[in-house]
Amino acid sequence: MSLIVQKFGGSSVADAESIKRVAKRIVETRKAGNDVVVAVSAMGDTTDDLVDLANQVTLLPAPRELDMLLTAGERISMALLAMAIKSMGHDARSFTGSQAGMLTDAQHGAARIVDVTPGRVRDALDAGAIAIVAGFQGFNRGTGDITTLGRGGSDTTAVALAAALRADVCEIYTDVDGIFTADPRIVPRARWVPRITSEEMLELAAAGAKVLHIRAVEYARRHGVTLHVRSSFTNKPGTVVYNPAGPGLDQNGVPVEESVITGVATDLSEAKITVVGIRDEPGKAAELFTAVARTGANIDMIVQNVSAAATGLTDISFTLPKQSAEGVLASLAAEQPSLGFASLQHDDQIGKLALVGAGMRTNAGVSARLFRALSDAGINIEMISTSEIRISVVTRADTITAATLAVHAAFGLDADEEAVVHAGTGR
Amino acid sequence: MSLIVQKFGGSSVADAESIKRVAKRIVETRKAGNDVVVAVSAMGDTTDDLVDLANQVTLLPAPRELDMLLTAGERISMALLAMAIKSMGHDARSFTGSQAGMLTDAQHGAARIVDVTPGRVRDALDAGAIAIVAGFQGFNRGTGDITTLGRGGSDTTAVALAAALRADVCEIYTDVDGIFTADPRIVPRARWVPRITSEEMLELAAAGAKVLHIRAVEYARRHGVTLHVRSSFTNKPGTVVYNPAGPGLDQNGVPVEESVITGVATDLSEAKITVVGIRDEPGKAAELFTAVARTGANIDMIVQNVSAAATGLTDISFTLPKQSAEGVLASLAAEQPSLGFASLQHDDQIGKLALVGAGMRTNAGVSARLFRALSDAGINIEMISTSEIRISVVTRADTITAATLAVHAAFGLDADEEAVVHAGTGR
């Protein structure tokens, strides 16, 4: 008997009919002889509606109370899902984050998991029941207060439960058919990826692929959880995200044939800030990014120009989420006297394209082919950044679709037919 | 410094604006130098909406899961209320029934309070905060599961907290200006009652007065909690429900002048069942009502006719909530062979009128005056039942308004002017 954790996002449980459909799928998994634990998000737009309600009461809701409010969302969906399963003749019990032992720190709105003690979930399984756990929520032991995990929280709940319960697999149900070589909304001939390593998935998620939240992938990688991304609207096989036993090996330690390129990810959500004319001396970059870090902004790519020998000055550019740009600009402007730069430039019309694949650095031809494809398409590259298994480039935002199509084709990723795209998003 | 418990029903917190208004009222009480604990119901129709949602998923929701679902309602209202208070510069913390120590038995949907351990509420007060507690909900220690208290639950939460915290008063905010000598919607000249004993209030509530739930009044009486019924829409003084130090004494042990009649209550929610031709012998009634009790129905009035000596047969009539009638009829029909009655009659067109007042039994003229007033108004009495401080009669449903007006006038209760009626209902 296998133990399977299944996660269903908000769009999968948007109304009573969807909940009944999801219940049926869970019951089928149970009937196939598996123990089943489910992590579920709030129904459809519930969380957004609750945030709206809070903002009608006060523009600055107290974080503890906002978490108390938002956790009502999963409470509703999990109870409905449990009663739907029970009405089909199978035992089911719903558990809040607290009841399921999702222990977190006290950081309301963005709590980190510190321990998972799913005793009641295990008891429910031992009694033959299906356990339904509220996604996104946790509990801080010190304060006794309810917390939420922030964005990507439900995926993380599922993965954390899978790790703590030593589940055989963690199935993430979503509104797409799995992982593709590019976003099918941009590249209609994007190809389905049946298997991918968690490291590659991490690079894709970091590069803007929205299917799995980066935090959940990190957790899965660190705890050796196998993920299975599937559509809750179809019966397609989806994508398995596995943890290879070592570099170039599959999870059983068998050498894998390197399929150099996994896919192309794009991201239009970032802005670029350039610090112009800063002194190129040891410690200056550290000082700069300390000022940035104080704002809480997450920096993505960083590029430093070669300094002009005559002046000893250089320019440093970095990308970050658009909504963080204003705060960072204000913080840097305030530090201008001590940092001693000439000026700041802000550009929110950039697009990022990332090519991801195993063993990319050992294959020198990949970068050349990438730059050639972009150049042939008449697209200018503004920033470049590379890792072991990824090459990212920044271009103008309005060229990103053309760039993605060109690169996807250049690496022979195009499928024979167009992929089917489903509507909706999960949390 | 006084400790005041305030309860706000669903109609008082129906939307963001109402929540802000209630928050302001709570803050005023705090500013006046009191410690404040608040019990709050779910917003407006939230509970009904959640029940509808459950019924869309399954017609027979699992009771444990239904409680999990419904408790999302107060979670939303209490968090919003706490953040509204905090935005006004006063500290506030919301607590679920479980966090507030409302320990109950495991009877989902109608749990009874077994203990109240409000340690966290006390800590919040000690820290200078206003404590906001979810009404209606509790927690069973044995199963670790969330429960709900059933109808009247939020009133009961408030009273139980007031008792456990030894509060000076428990203020029940509602949509009427207090207790009146009759329902102002039926008797426009109903008179405001400034003070009433908990015993009289109990009789009024049992007789159908909707302002306070009978269960909360019982709890207040048993634990010596003083209630104060007030409107959340006006600043009128409301009605104090007190516990006299003894019969005929006020709460300070001072003899009270008996104001014989407190008021008239009416109830159209009951039906009458008559068991025709049952043997008038010891144990038969017990057998009959054991069969009734098995259905879980709450019986109100019971009247047994004098048996006809010739046959040794009698008729037994009783009233009960309309929605319980079908189940009781089925149960009795199934037991007909052993109970040995001739037939069953079901009448759902009855109305009940109750006259309530202290020392009623010691004043023989009261019944005579009641029956005379009804007879003068041409109204036929079908059943009579009396207690220490109440006389109830059953009449045809369509005569209940005329009956109430006649009795109210006959006992000199009419006010000089008409009362103002507000819309809405609480839970």
Side-chain angles (χ1 to χ4, degrees), chain A residues 92-407:
Chain A
R93 295 181 205 166
S94 69
F95 297 104
T96 63
S98 161
Q99 290 175 334
M102 299 295 300
L103 304 177
T104 72
D105 61 19
Q107 181 71 27
H108 287 290
R112 309 288 306 181
I113 296 171
V114 295
D115 199 5
V116 182
T117 56
R120 293 194 67 185
V121 173
R122 177 66 75 187
D123 290 347
L125 295 177
D126 290 347
I130 294 163
I132 313 291
V133 178
F136 180 64
Q137 51 181 254
F139 174 75
N140 179 262
R141 240 180 201 161
T143 60
D145 287 338
I146 304 301
T147 56
T148 65
L149 308 181
R151 290 281 143 186
S154 290
D155 284 1
T156 307
T157 298
V159 175
L161 281 170
L165 293 165
R166 301 184 180 281
D168 295 274
V169 64
C170 178
E171 297 181 344
I172 306 284
Y173 285 88
T174 175
D175 46 14
V176 296
D177 288 332
I179 309 297
F180 283 76
T181 50
D183 185 340
R185 282 165 297 197
I186 296 176
V187 182
R189 288 185 179 273
R191 211 159 59 191
W192 163 58
V193 178
R195 293 174 63 78
I196 184 174
T197 67
S198 57
E199 195 177 12
E200 289 168 311
M201 189 64 234
L202 207 52
E203 292 283 2
L204 278 177
K210 304 278 188 308
V211 179
L212 276 177
H213 197 276
I214 186 167
R215 183 169 166 196
V217 182
E218 273 175 0
Y219 203 107
R221 184 161 174 247
R222 202 170 321 126
H223 293 85
V225 174
T226 301
L227 299 175
H228 189 173
V229 181
R230 305 182 65 177
S231 167
S232 63
F233 297 92
T234 71
N235 275 313
K236 300 214 171 162
T239 298
V240 172
V241 183
Y242 68 99
N243 298 286
L249 302 176
D250 70 11
Q251 68 254 64
N252 300 315
V254 178
V256 289
E257 198 174 353
E258 283 182 4
S259 63
V260 173
I261 302 305
T262 308
V264 185
T266 56
D267 190 355
L268 288 169
S269 70
E270 298 199 339
K272 181 175 74 170
I273 290 177
T274 302
V275 181
V276 180
I278 190 165
R279 287 244 300 289
D280 188 7
E281 63 185 27
K284 216 61 191 168
E287 205 181 311
L288 171 68
F289 287 105
T290 301
V292 171
R294 268 202 292 275
T295 70
N298 284 315
I299 299 305
D300 181 21
M301 293 167 71
I302 301 176
V303 172
Q304 177 169 347
N305 289 351
V306 175
S307 72
T311 61
L313 296 177
T314 187
D315 303 337
I316 297 180
S317 297
F318 54 91
T319 64
L320 75 179
K322 277 180 181 164
Q323 66 270 23
S324 303
E326 208 178 323
V328 168
L329 288 168
S331 171
L332 290 179
E335 302 280 340
Q336 186 165 15
S338 66
L339 286 170
F341 54 84
S343 65
L344 293 173
Q345 288 175 359
H346 175 216
D347 180 355
D348 63 358
Q349 293 300 312
I350 63 164
K352 195 177 75 178
L353 178 152
L355 190 65
V356 174
M360 190 166 293
R361 210 160 60 171
T362 61
N363 192 328
V366 172
S367 326
R369 196 146 139 214
L370 171 65
F371 302 152
R372 165 72 55 202
L374 292 171
S375 147
D376 285 353
I379 292 157
N380 190 42
I381 300 172
E382 304 185 9
M383 288 173 84
I384 301 171
S385 136
T386 59
S387 81
E388 189 85 21
I389 60 168
R390 175 183 49 77
I391 307 174
S392 300
V393 297
V394 166
T395 69
R396 288 293 84 203
D398 57 10
T399 67
I400 200 74
T401 298
T404 311
L405 287 167
V407 172

Side-chain angles (χ1 to χ4, degrees), chain A residues 4-146:
Chain A
I4 297 180
V5 175
Q6 301 188 319
K7 180 259 174 175
F8 293 92
S11 61
S12 299
V13 292
D15 53 30
E17 282 315 306
S18 313
I19 287 171
K20 285 195 261 188
R21 201 188 51 233
V22 165
K24 205 174 290 177
R25 192 179 272 269
I26 294 167
V27 164
E28 278 164 18
T29 310
R30 174 81 187 119
K31 275 185 177 165
N34 304 294
D35 276 340
V36 187
V37 176
V38 176
V40 66
S41 303
M43 294 169 72
D45 300 324
T46 307
T47 304
D48 292 339
D49 292 347
L50 290 173
V51 170
D52 284 351
L53 204 47
N55 286 332
Q56 285 172 40
V57 168
T58 168
L59 288 174
L60 222 71
R64 176 190 188 274
E65 301 304 329
L66 191 59
D67 277 358
M68 188 67 99
L69 178 73
L70 295 185
T71 49
E74 296 83 33
R75 200 176 186 87
I76 293 170
S77 56
M78 74 183 194
L80 291 171
L81 189 54
M83 55 180 77
I85 292 170
K86 284 194 79 111
S87 77
M88 293 172 185
H90 288 261
D91 197 10
R93 295 181 205 166
S94 69
F95 297 104
T96 63
S98 161
Q99 290 175 334
M102 299 295 300
L103 304 177
T104 72
D105 61 19
Q107 181 71 27
H108 287 290
R112 309 288 306 181
I113 296 171
V114 295
D115 199 5
V116 182
T117 56
R120 293 194 67 185
V121 173
R122 177 66 75 187
D123 290 347
L125 295 177
D126 290 347
I130 294 163
I132 313 291
V133 178
F136 180 64
Q137 51 181 254
F139 174 75
N140 179 262
R141 240 180 201 161
T143 60
D145 287 338
I146 304 301

Side-chain angles (χ1 to χ4, degrees), chain B residues 165-232:
Chain B
L165 294 164
R166 301 186 179 281
D168 295 275
V169 63
C170 178
E171 297 180 345
I172 306 283
Y173 284 88
T174 173
D175 46 12
V176 296
D177 288 332
I179 309 296
F180 283 76
T181 51
D183 184 340
R185 282 165 297 197
I186 295 176
V187 182
R189 288 182 179 274
R191 211 157 60 191
W192 164 57
V193 178
R195 292 175 62 78
I196 184 174
T197 67
S198 59
E199 195 176 13
E200 289 168 310
M201 189 64 234
L202 206 52
E203 291 285 2
L204 277 176
K210 304 280 185 305
V211 179
L212 277 176
H213 197 276
I214 186 167
R215 185 169 164 197
V217 182
E218 271 174 0
Y219 202 107
R221 183 162 175 246
R222 202 169 323 126
H223 293 85
V225 174
T226 301
L227 298 175
H228 189 173
V229 181
R230 305 181 66 177
S231 168
S232 63

